[in-house]
Amino acid sequence: MSGTKSVKSKMPSSKKHILILGCFDTKGEVFAHLRNCILLSGETVITINTGVLGTTNLFPVDFESDVVAMKGGSEISSLRKLGDRGNAMDVMGKGAAEIVKTLIAEGKLKGAIGMGGGGGTYITLSAMQQIPFGIPKLCLTTIAAKDLSRQIGHKDITLVPSVVDVAGLNSIIKVLISQSASAISAMSNSIADPENKAVKRIAISMFGNTTACVDQCTELLKKEGYEVLAFHATGIGGRTMEALIREGYFDAVLDITTTELADDLCGGICSAGPERLLAAGEMNLPQVVVPGCLDMVNFGHADTVPEKYKYRFFYSWAPDVTLMRTNVEENKILGKELSQKLNKSMAPVSIVLPLKGISQIDSEGGIFFQPENDQALFDSIKNNANKSVRIIEADAHINDKSFAEILVKTLIETLNSVRKSTF
C-alpha cells in the first residue's frame, strides 16, 4: 500500500484517539504514511498541522495551521510574511500546546506521536509538555542523539532516531515510521496500573548524602503498605517530582532532600527553579519536610566553579561533582525561603530538623560539619514559619535510624489525621 493513499478512519467505541502532530506542509507524504499505519492497527487519530507554509491534501486535518497560529498568539499570514523561522516555531509550539491542553482536558487522547527535524521536533516536544504522565508520547526525530533534556524536561517522551532525514518516503524511513506507529499504538493500549489503586503513593526526595535516610524511610513505609517513589534532587528530579505532584499522582510528600534550593540561590547545577517546594501546598497534600543537604551547593568539575566563589570551602564528591559548603548568611536566606514556601500550604506541614547534621558529610568529624552554619539555618526556619507549620527538633543526624523513624511516624500520623477529618 502506498504511503500517500489515505486509509479511511473507523471510529471505535472508545472516544480516545492517537494524536499526530507535525509539519504537514513540507512532510505531508511521511505523515500520510504514519497515519495509515496507525489506522491499520485499528486506532483513530486526531491531526494537528504545525507547518507554516501550507497543508496537505493526502489526509484530513483536524486542526489546521491557522488555528494553531491563532492559539499561539499570532496570525498565520503574519508568520508567513515575517519569515522569521525562530519566531514561527515558538508561536506554533505554543499554539499546538494549547490545543493539546484542551484535548487532554476533554479526555480525547490515549497517545501522541510526532516527527521532524530540528524545527518539527521542537514544536512536537513543546506540545507534548501538556500531556500528563502515563499517556505515551513518541517523537521520530533526526536529532535524537542531541541533548534534548531542556526540551523534554520531566516528561516521559520516547525518542526514536530517524537515521535519515524525515523528508520523504524511502526504504529506511518507511520501516521506522511503521515501527513507531506500532509502538505508539501498543503503548496507548497498555494498562498503566493494573494493581490496587487504593495503595497510597508517597513522593520522597533523595541525594547520595541522604541515601541512608531515604532507604530506611522507604522500608518503613513499605511495611505500612505505602508505595514510595524516590526522586534524585538533581534539578530535573525535583522538577519532575513537583510536576507529578501537580498531576495528582501522590497522596503525600516526604521531602527529605531540599538541596535544590541552595543550588537555585547560588547558581549551582542542581537548581530545580523557583517553583520547587510549592506543588504539595498547591495540591493540599500533607508533607513532611527536612532541610536535607542545604549545607551544600553542587558544581561540576572544579574548574567550572564561578570565580566569585574561589575562596570558599569545597569538597570533591566525585571528579565531576564539586560541593561548596553554604555559609551562615546563605543558610539564613535558605531557612527563610523554605519556611515561606511551606507557609502557603493549607494542608498539614511538618518540618523536622536533624540537629546533629543535615547530610552524610555534615556530621561530627565530617568535612562539612559546621554546627554554627546549621544553627543559622534552623533558627531562620523557626523564625519564619507560621504557627500552622509544625516544627520538630530531633536530636539525631539525618542518616540515623532514629531520625527515619521520626519522619515516618510523623508522616503516617499526619495522613491518619487527614483521613479522619474527611469522614
Side-chain angles (χ1 to χ4, degrees):
M1 186 197 71
S2 169
T4 60
K5 186 181 295 183
S6 178
V7 174
K8 193 172 183 180
S9 174
K10 293 182 180 180
M11 186 75 69
S13 57
S14 170
K15 294 182 179 180
K16 291 183 181 291
H17 318 283
I18 293 178
L19 172 67
I20 299 175
L21 66 159
C23 301
F24 302 160
D25 51 356
T26 58
K27 304 184 187 302
E29 185 183 33
V30 290
F31 276 101
H33 185 65
L34 172 64
R35 176 180 176 275
N36 288 344
C37 289
I38 293 174
L39 294 179
L40 287 172
S41 71
E43 301 295 334
T44 57
V45 299
I46 293 176
T47 54
I48 299 178
N49 178 22
T50 60
V52 173
L53 302 179
T55 188
T56 180
N57 60 1
L58 298 176
F59 56 87
V61 178
D62 295 297
F63 295 92
E64 273 293 3
S65 56
D66 58 338
V67 176
V68 179
M70 182 180 65
K71 292 289 186 180
S74 185
E75 297 288 338
I76 194 68
S77 57
S78 298
L79 295 180
R80 291 170 179 166
K81 184 176 180 180
L82 188 62
D84 185 333
R85 184 175 184 271
N87 176 64
M89 286 171 51
D90 183 56
V91 169
M92 299 306 277
K94 290 177 179 176
E98 284 299 312
I99 294 172
V100 170
K101 183 178 180 180
T102 299
L103 293 172
I104 289 294
E106 294 173 348
K108 291 184 177 179
L109 298 187
K110 63 191 301 187
I113 185 169
M115 299 188 293
T121 298
Y122 175 86
I123 295 171
T124 294
L125 299 183
S126 296
M128 287 180 175
Q129 296 303 306
Q130 297 298 325
I131 304 177
F133 170 79
I135 296 180
K137 318 156 192 59
L138 186 149
C139 182
L140 180 63
T141 172
T142 61
I143 57 174
K146 283 187 65 178
D147 179 9
L148 297 176
S149 57
R150 184 169 181 177
Q151 292 94 314
I152 292 174
H154 64 274
K155 292 297 181 177
D156 52 329
I157 298 173
T158 301
L159 298 179
V160 177
S162 66
V163 181
V164 295
D165 199 359
V166 187
L169 289 177
N170 54 61
S171 58
I172 290 179
I173 201 67
K174 286 177 72 174
V175 170
L176 293 172
I177 289 175
S178 176
Q179 291 175 346
S180 297
S182 297
I184 197 64
S185 298
M187 292 163 71
S188 297
N189 288 296
S190 66
I191 300 174
D193 187 8
E195 298 180 359
N196 186 359
K197 295 182 182 297
V199 173
K200 298 293 183 181
R201 297 191 185 105
I202 309 296
I204 192 168
S205 56
M206 70 175 294
F207 227 30
N209 269 283
T210 57
T211 296
C213 178
V214 172
D215 287 349
Q216 292 173 90
C217 289
T218 299
E219 287 305 310
L220 291 170
L221 286 166
K222 284 182 176 179
K223 288 179 181 178
E224 296 293 330
Y226 294 94
E227 181 184 9
V228 182
L229 290 88
F231 296 87
H232 206 156
T234 55
I236 186 63
R239 289 195 296 273
T240 301
M241 185 176 78
E242 299 279 319
L244 289 175
I245 290 171
R246 288 191 172 93
E247 290 179 13
Y249 201 76
F250 298 106
D251 299 282
V253 179
L254 181 50
D255 211 339
I256 293 172
T257 315
T258 48
T259 186
E260 289 155 319
L261 299 182
D263 281 64
D264 192 54
L265 175 67
C266 298
I269 60 174
C270 290
S271 168
E275 296 298 305
R276 182 69 171 92
L277 218 65
L278 293 176
E282 293 171 5
M283 299 298 294
N284 289 323
L285 290 187
Q287 54 185 321
V288 175
V289 180
V290 182
C293 291
L294 284 180
D295 58 327
M296 61 186 66
V297 178
N298 296 264
F299 294 105
H301 290 86
D303 60 1
T304 67
V305 175
E307 181 70 17
K308 65 180 178 179
Y309 294 131
K310 66 179 181 179
Y311 295 115
R312 296 287 293 276
F313 186 73
F314 296 96
Y315 174 68
S316 178
W317 178 258
D320 59 344
V321 179
T322 306
L323 306 179
M324 181 180 78
R325 186 39 161 116
T326 51
N327 60 27
V328 168
E329 194 56 41
E330 288 159 352
N331 278 313
K332 289 180 180 178
I333 297 171
L334 291 169
K336 181 178 181 180
E337 180 185 2
L338 184 143
S339 289
Q340 288 183 338
K341 286 185 172 184
L342 297 177
N343 287 342
K344 298 177 181 180
S345 177
M346 299 299 291
V349 178
S350 296
I351 303 175
V352 188
L353 307 177
L355 301 182
K356 291 186 176 179
I358 58 178
S359 77
Q360 177 179 313
I361 56 178
D362 177 34
S363 58
E364 190 169 358
I367 191 74
F368 272 10
F369 187 59
Q370 296 178 11
E372 66 279 7
N373 292 22
D374 288 349
Q375 194 59 52
L377 175 66
F378 299 153
D379 289 344
S380 181
I381 289 172
K382 291 185 288 185
N383 292 337
N384 288 282
N386 287 344
K387 291 182 179 180
S388 61
V389 176
R390 183 185 180 191
I391 304 290
I392 300 173
E393 297 182 84
D395 187 26
H397 182 267
I398 194 169
N399 286 330
D400 288 347
K401 181 180 179 181
S402 60
F403 187 72
E405 291 170 346
I406 292 170
L407 293 179
V408 172
K409 180 182 178 183
T410 302
L411 184 63
I412 291 177
E413 287 177 350
T414 303
L415 282 165
N416 288 338
S417 66
V418 170
R419 195 173 295 122
K420 288 178 182 179
S421 68
T422 60
F423 290 110

